[in-house]
C-alpha cells in the first residue's frame, strides 16, 4: 500500500487507502478474489489495521471503531471487487460508454410505477466515473462517522 504524507488527515489517509485498494483490484482482479477468499488472513488484516489506525486518530470510541471499520472495510473491498468484476464481464472489445448507453436506454423503458428511481437516474449511467462514485461513497461514510461522534 502506498504511504500517505505524515500531514494527511485521517480522512485523507482513508481515501488514499480506498483508492489504492480500488485501483489494485481493478488492475489485478485476482487480488479481489484473494481478499474475498479468506477475509481474516494477512492482506485483509493489513487493510483493516490501516483503517483502524485512522479511526483511532479520529477519536472514535472502541464500539464506534468496530462499526466504522467494518463498514469501511466492507465498502472498500466489496465495491472494488464488484467494479473489477463488472469491468471483466464483457469482451474487451465492447465499448464501455456504448454498453452503458444501451443499459441506460433499457432503464428508461422500465415501468414508470415500478422503477421511478432507476428511470430518473438512467441518463447519468453512461457518463459516470466509477472511481469518483466510489470516493463519493467513502465520503458519505466518513460524513456519517463524523456526525456520529
Amino acid at each position: 500500500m502506498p504511504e500517505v504524507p505524515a500531514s494527511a488527515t485521517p480522512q485523507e489517509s482513508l481515501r488514499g487507502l480506498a483508492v489504492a485498494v480500488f485501483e489494485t483490484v481493478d488492475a489485478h482482479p485476482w487480488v479481489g478474489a484473494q481478499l474475498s477468499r479468506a477475509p481474516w488472513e494477512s492482506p485483509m488484516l493489513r487493510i483493516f489495521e490501516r483503517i483502524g489506525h485512522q479511526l483511532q486518530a479520529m477519536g472514535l470510541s472502541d464500539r464506534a471503531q468496530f462499526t466504522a471499520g467494518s463498514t469501511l472495510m466492507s465498502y472498500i473491498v466489496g465495491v472494488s471487487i464488484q467494479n473489477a468484476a463488472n469491468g471483466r464481464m464483457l469482451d474487451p472489445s465492447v465499448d464501455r460508454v456504448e454498453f452503458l448507453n444501451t443499459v441506460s436506454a433499457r432503464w428508461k423503458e422500465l415501468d414508470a410505477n415500478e422503477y421511478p428511481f432507476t428511470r430518473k437516474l438512467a441518463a447519468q449511467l453512461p457518463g459516470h466515473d466509477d472511481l469518483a462514485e466510489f470516493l463519493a461513497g467513502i465520503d458519505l461514510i466518513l460524513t456519517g462517522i463524523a456526525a456520529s461522534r
Side-chain angles (χ1 to χ4, degrees):
M1 301 272 161
E3 291 300 317
V4 295
S7 61
T9 67
Q11 293 83 350
E12 291 168 336
S13 295
L14 286 165
R15 286 180 107 244
L17 173 64
V19 168
V21 172
F22 186 90
E23 290 178 343
T24 299
V25 172
D26 189 49
H28 309 286
W30 61 268
V31 172
Q34 291 301 314
L35 290 176
S36 63
R37 213 173 256 138
W40 52 88
E41 295 289 329
S42 184
M44 289 288 278
L45 286 176
R46 288 179 188 208
I47 296 168
F48 196 58
E49 187 66 24
R50 297 243 350 234
I51 290 169
H53 287 212
Q54 301 313 314
L55 296 174
Q56 288 172 335
M58 291 171 70
L60 298 179
S61 69
D62 290 349
R63 177 90 175 136
Q65 286 177 35
F66 182 82
T67 301
S70 298
T71 300
L72 281 164
M73 180 69 133
S74 295
Y75 181 80
I76 291 168
V77 174
V79 172
S80 296
I81 291 170
Q82 184 63 49
N83 183 71
N86 289 345
R88 283 150 183 83
M89 252 190 318
L90 303 171
D91 187 89
S93 65
V94 174
D95 179 78
R96 178 183 185 272
V97 174
E98 190 176 303
F99 173 75
L100 293 176
N101 276 324
T102 301
V103 173
S104 174
R106 287 183 191 150
W107 285 8
K108 290 175 186 174
E109 308 251 331
L110 293 169
D111 180 273
N113 292 319
E114 194 172 347
Y115 296 97
F117 179 80
T118 303
R119 286 174 48 108
K120 183 173 77 173
L121 299 181
Q124 295 179 41
L125 183 63
H128 83 278
D129 178 307
D130 292 328
L131 180 58
E133 292 299 322
F134 173 71
L135 287 173
I138 294 292
D139 291 341
L140 281 171
I141 294 168
L142 292 174
T143 298
I145 290 169
S148 71
R149 287 193 303 201

